[in-house]
Amino acid sequence: MNGFAITVCAPSGAGKTTVCQALLRDSEELMFSVSATTRPKRAKERDGVDYRFVTRDEFQGMIERGELLEWAEVHGELYGTPRSNLEQAEREGKLLLLDIDVQGASQMVDSLPDTVTVFLLPPSFDVLMERLRGRGSENASWLERRMQTAKAELEELPSFQYVVVNDALEDTVAAIRAIVDAERQRPGRRLGELDKLRRELEDGLSG
Ligand code: 5GP
């Protein structure tokens, strides 16, 4: 099968990171795309696992050398997807799972047109606000900023291929797995693998 990338986007507070982690836990075929970022590391994060933490100069160098499939500035920090993540996934026969922002998703589609794009929605405004407030790291201006970003991101929903309402985690994971399974069956992704069977059927039918 040909490899492809799955991009999961959501407004801040829709539970995207939890969903991606749950997906990765029970899907051997998926590989998490570790982004490069200039933002400071948070307490529980590990360099090279959650993110590759780099300086602004290092990030700039990656842009100039064409090493990023996409990149964007989010809340004043730079985030980007190294091209090498995709190469590694292809080498390992895995599908690359990206947890990136909405601006990055449209660039991914430009760089790799067969990228699968999934938009996660929180189930209600109350749940969105509860999840945003529950993060504990925010003050009023932080919250206001995230709400503005969420509003702008929501406007991009129609440009995505799939939308999943993230209410119960296991249902969301099942829905995304179903999307991935269906996408794997697209003829364009399976042509090489199905050559032998097609030849046999064609030979038999013309014989
Ligand atoms: P956080 O700093 O909270 O981990 O992430 C902030 C936002 O940046 C989230 O929406 C996250 O999905 C997004 N993000 C993380 N990595 C990338 C990336 O490589 N590219 C883009 N465009 N956004 C990213």
Side-chain angles (χ1 to χ4, degrees):
M1 191 206 52
N2 298 329
F4 58 96
I6 304 122
T7 297
V8 177
C9 287
S12 189
K16 178 173 51 157
T17 303
T18 311
V19 167
C20 287
Q21 282 167 358
L23 262 171
L24 288 158
R25 257 197 309 276
D26 55 28
S27 313
E28 291 256 302
E29 79 220 307
L30 297 180
M31 189 186 108
F32 180 63
S33 171
V34 180
S35 297
T37 183
T38 59
R39 92 146 156 69
K41 191 163 89 59
R42 294 181 188 137
K44 284 190 181 153
E45 289 177 331
R46 285 168 298 166
D47 191 15
V49 176
D50 300 289
Y51 279 106
R52 209 169 122 194
F53 296 96
V54 298
T55 63
R56 263 191 126 80
D57 280 352
E58 283 167 338
F59 198 99
Q60 201 55 44
M62 294 172 92
I63 297 174
E64 281 160 17
R65 292 189 298 274
E67 289 173 12
L68 299 176
L69 281 171
E70 63 73 36
W71 66 273
E73 183 162 344
V74 185
H75 304 128
E77 300 289 353
L78 303 175
Y79 295 81
T81 303
R83 195 176 290 280
S84 57
N85 291 0
L86 186 70
E87 292 157 4
Q88 188 188 344
E90 279 171 353
R91 270 198 309 277
E92 295 181 16
K94 295 197 173 181
L95 308 178
L96 194 65
L97 178 70
L98 284 80
D99 166 349
I100 65 176
D101 90 315
V102 168
Q103 313 165 65
S106 75
Q107 286 180 56
M108 273 303 289
V109 174
D110 292 340
S111 301
L112 287 178
D114 72 345
T115 299
V116 177
T117 56
V118 181
F119 197 97
L120 285 186
L121 279 180
S124 67
F125 176 68
D126 287 349
V127 171
L128 171 70
M129 292 310 288
E130 200 180 293
R131 286 183 186 153
L132 277 178
R133 291 201 181 95
R135 293 200 167 167
S137 56
E138 71 279 7
N139 51 37
S141 74
W142 184 95
L143 191 60
E144 178 59 29
R145 211 161 157 211
R146 299 281 153 152
M147 286 172 71
Q148 287 308 323
T149 307
K151 194 169 159 225
E153 292 190 325
L154 264 178
E155 287 170 13
E156 301 303 320
L157 169 62
S159 66
F160 280 71
Q161 294 166 338
Y162 296 95
V163 58
V164 176
V165 177
N166 181 26
D167 197 348
L169 180 62
E170 62 274 22
D171 293 344
T172 303
V173 168
I176 300 178
R177 287 195 56 86
I179 292 167
V180 172
D181 288 344
E183 285 290 335
R184 297 173 76 119
Q185 309 306 322
R186 286 196 188 272
R189 305 197 198 281
R190 302 194 64 193
L191 283 182
E193 174 202 344
L194 294 178
D195 271 357
K196 194 164 160 261
L197 176 59
R198 282 175 73 203
R199 264 200 310 276
E200 181 195 315
L201 295 173
E202 279 165 10
D203 288 352
L205 289 168
S206 32

